[in-house]
Amino acid sequence: MNTPTTTPKNIVLIGFMGCGKSTVGRELHKNLGYQLVDMDHIIEERAGKPITKIFQQDGETAFRDQESSLLRELCQPGNPRRIISTGGGIIGRHENRELLRNLGYVVWLNAPRDTIIKRTLKHKTRPLLNTSDAADQITRLMAERHPLYAETAHLEVDTTGLSSYEVASGLLDCARYYFNNPE
Ligand code: S3P
């Protein structure tokens, strides 16, 4: 894999469903004016159907393939100043975890299980949670994914009790420091 010689100044948001990636992404976009790239929206637009339908009709593997392929596309040289909001399961593939770190500063937005449950079970837009035991599924997936988020992220933000504005301004300070003193 080609590793870029200079780190692009993208800010990449990762984290479990309902952790606030889209809201914080919009806040960062307002603050910085960088282009906001919502990967799930792009996949839906290209497929011409919502993610629930992609899962139903084409299967989860097809969705994951589209996710990886879009990620590879985003890693091509281009606009190096974007806010990239990812889907919660993007860290599942080893290839994706490497690509994410090449893409820029990776921030893991972490939120407590109960907050995640409250936010996600209101909507039926997440195929992995359309089950009768959605709360158990959240517990299981969170346990499985936490080490992968931790491995991928440059920064973990505990969002408990913070507004999206507070999360965005805190992580921006860290991002500025990182871009001035890359690994
Ligand atoms: C998924 C999270 C969703 C979406 C898809 C799969 C996951 O995105 O990519 O339903 O595996 O956690 P959000 O994290 O934005 O809900």
Side-chain angles (χ1 to χ4, degrees):
M1 185 181 310
N2 290 336
T3 308
T5 45
T6 53
T7 310
K9 289 190 164 54
N10 297 307
I11 296 177
V12 185
L13 301 176
I14 63 170
F16 204 80
M17 297 172 259
C19 70
K21 292 168 300 221
S22 303
T23 325
V24 171
R26 283 194 293 274
E27 197 63 54
L28 290 168
H29 167 69
K30 246 198 298 179
N31 194 308
L32 291 172
Y34 288 11
Q35 182 193 359
L36 177 59
V37 177
D38 184 318
M39 291 188 64
D40 281 348
H41 283 176
I42 296 179
I43 292 171
E44 287 183 325
E45 259 173 36
R46 289 182 179 177
K49 53 191 172 192
I51 286 173
T52 35
K53 280 260 162 64
I54 303 179
F55 270 67
Q56 265 169 23
Q57 297 175 352
D58 313 321
E60 179 173 354
T61 306
F63 172 77
R64 298 296 171 202
D65 288 345
Q66 291 170 44
E67 200 174 38
S68 296
S69 145
L70 175 57
L71 190 55
R72 282 194 293 272
E73 223 180 277
L74 292 171
C75 286
Q76 294 305 310
N79 181 358
R81 288 181 167 76
R82 290 164 297 192
I83 314 294
I84 297 165
S85 174
T86 62
I90 199 161
I91 40 65
R93 291 187 176 176
H94 180 260
E95 174 204 2
N96 292 356
R97 298 197 292 278
E98 271 188 13
L99 290 171
L100 286 163
R101 283 184 73 95
N102 283 341
L103 199 50
Y105 187 57
V106 184
V107 181
W108 170 22
L109 302 183
N110 199 357
R113 176 183 172 273
D114 290 350
T115 309
I116 297 285
I117 290 180
K118 220 181 288 161
R119 288 185 190 153
T120 53
L121 298 193
K122 277 197 297 223
H123 310 288
K124 290 271 169 252
T125 52
R126 293 177 169 103
L128 291 180
L129 304 182
N130 283 343
T131 65
S132 52
D133 63 343
D136 290 345
Q137 170 83 329
I138 288 173
T139 307
R140 196 181 58 73
L141 282 175
M142 279 183 100
E144 190 179 298
R145 291 175 176 181
H146 269 210
L148 303 178
Y149 293 128
E151 170 192 323
T152 312
H154 295 99
L155 174 75
E156 175 189 351
V157 179
D158 177 358
T159 61
T160 312
L162 300 178
S163 68
S164 54
Y165 173 81
E166 288 164 337
V167 172
S169 55
L171 80 79
L172 264 182
D173 286 343
C174 299
R176 284 196 183 100
Y177 181 83
Y178 172 81
F179 289 131
N180 287 330
N181 306 276
E183 301 160 303

